[in-house]
């Protein structure tokens, strides 16, 4: 049986791709390890690489605000991971071979969390989890079956910082996610005014 401790240790020793050679810190994941909801981003940026935690800095602050809108928090009821655990140089997109090398780590995180639903943060995460030709502008907010788990994608917080015009669509997507949580994970909101 896999454990979080073993998985973190193994992942920290990973040398399957060159990204491990240039990282400052492994960015494994954060949040509640038994959460019903898993959020998956693409990979660490500069601040994440320095701190060893996903979604810190301006994009992380925006993500926390987005979660708060629907009464979620990395401290109480979600787990956050990335497709790759080491920062791609200059914040470029992870290469397919890098994502493939990291796939086992994410799959083992999914197996340990056992989420009832997954939310992809941005196109890159969606192309690796939902479908390789996923189009975020057309398909954000739609639900897909990923190995028996309902999965959707919303715009990445960094994209929302660059283009505020996408925020109203994202708000609609967040409200739909809240509805899906109520349907599939009522325990998340038990005792809440939502």
């Amino acid at each position: 049986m896999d454990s979080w401790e073993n998985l973190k240790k193994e992942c920290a020793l990973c040398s399957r791709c060159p990204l491990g050679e240039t990282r400052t810190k492994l960015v494994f994941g954060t949040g509640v390890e038994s959460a019903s909801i898993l959020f998956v981003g693409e990979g660490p940026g500069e601040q994440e690489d320095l701190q060893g935690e996903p979604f810190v800095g301006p994009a992380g602050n925006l993500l926390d605000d987005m979660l708060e809108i629907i009464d979620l928090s990395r401290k109480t009821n979600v787990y956050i991971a990335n497709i790759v655990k080491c920062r791609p140089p200059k914040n470029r997109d992870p290469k397919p071979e890098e994502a493939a090398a990291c796939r086992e780590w994410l799959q083992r995180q999914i197996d340990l969390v056992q989420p009832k639903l997954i939310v992809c943060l941005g196109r890159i995460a969606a192309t690796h989890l939902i479908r390789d030709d996923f189009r975020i502008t057309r398909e954000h907010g739609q639900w897909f079956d990923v190995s028996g788990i309902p999965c959707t994608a919303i715009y990445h917080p960094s994209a929302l910082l660059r283009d505020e015009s996408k925020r109203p669509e994202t708000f609609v997507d967040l409200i739909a996610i809240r509805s899906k949580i109520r349907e599939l994970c009522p325990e998340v909101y038990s005792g809440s005014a939502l």
Side-chain angles (χ1 to χ4, degrees):
M1 179 74 180
D2 216 348
S3 73
W4 284 103
E5 187 179 342
N6 288 342
L7 181 55
K8 288 174 189 174
K9 283 180 185 173
E10 286 181 47
C11 191
L13 297 172
C14 181
S15 58
R16 296 176 184 174
C17 81
L19 293 182
E21 298 167 15
T22 58
R23 74 174 183 226
T24 304
K25 290 187 177 177
L26 175 74
V27 182
F28 183 76
T30 189
V32 178
E33 293 173 346
S34 60
S36 298
I37 304 117
L38 173 65
F39 284 77
V40 180
E42 63 185 68
E46 181 180 16
Q47 288 305 309
E48 290 80 6
D49 180 56
L50 292 172
Q51 296 182 43
E53 184 173 328
F55 288 93
V56 294
N61 292 335
L62 180 54
L63 176 60
D64 288 340
D65 291 345
M66 292 162 63
L67 294 174
E68 189 177 330
I69 288 170
I70 55 174
D71 204 30
L72 298 178
S73 164
R74 63 175 88 200
K75 291 183 174 83
T76 59
N77 53 18
V78 301
Y79 191 81
I80 302 170
N82 279 315
I83 297 295
V84 296
K85 311 304 183 198
C86 302
R87 179 188 181 204
K90 299 179 182 175
N91 291 353
R92 65 162 167 73
D93 292 347
K95 294 178 181 176
E97 58 271 22
E98 295 162 349
C102 241
R103 179 62 194 190
E104 178 193 339
W105 307 126
L106 178 60
Q107 186 56 56
R108 287 171 65 187
Q109 286 177 302
I110 293 169
D111 293 344
L112 284 168
V113 173
Q114 296 185 340
K116 293 183 180 173
L117 60 91
I118 297 174
V119 179
C120 295
L121 295 165
R123 174 186 60 85
I124 301 295
T127 59
H128 288 284
L129 281 176
I130 297 173
R131 198 179 64 247
D132 61 3
D133 63 347
F134 189 90
R135 298 289 178 249
I136 192 79
T137 53
R138 286 198 318 250
E139 298 178 290
H140 67 87
Q142 296 178 31
W143 290 93
F144 302 85
D145 183 290
V146 174
S147 301
I149 304 170
C151 185
T152 191
I154 62 175
Y155 286 110
H156 193 286
S158 293
L160 299 174
L161 289 172
R162 289 190 303 271
D163 183 356
E164 291 190 7
S165 72
K166 291 177 169 50
R167 290 188 181 196
E169 297 171 79
T170 301
F171 180 77
V172 170
D173 291 344
L174 290 170
I175 299 307
I177 289 167
R178 183 174 66 187
S179 295
K180 190 66 110 172
I181 293 169
R182 283 181 178 151
E183 175 191 338
L184 298 177
C185 324
E187 71 281 358
V188 170
Y189 293 140
S190 61
S192 159
L194 297 174

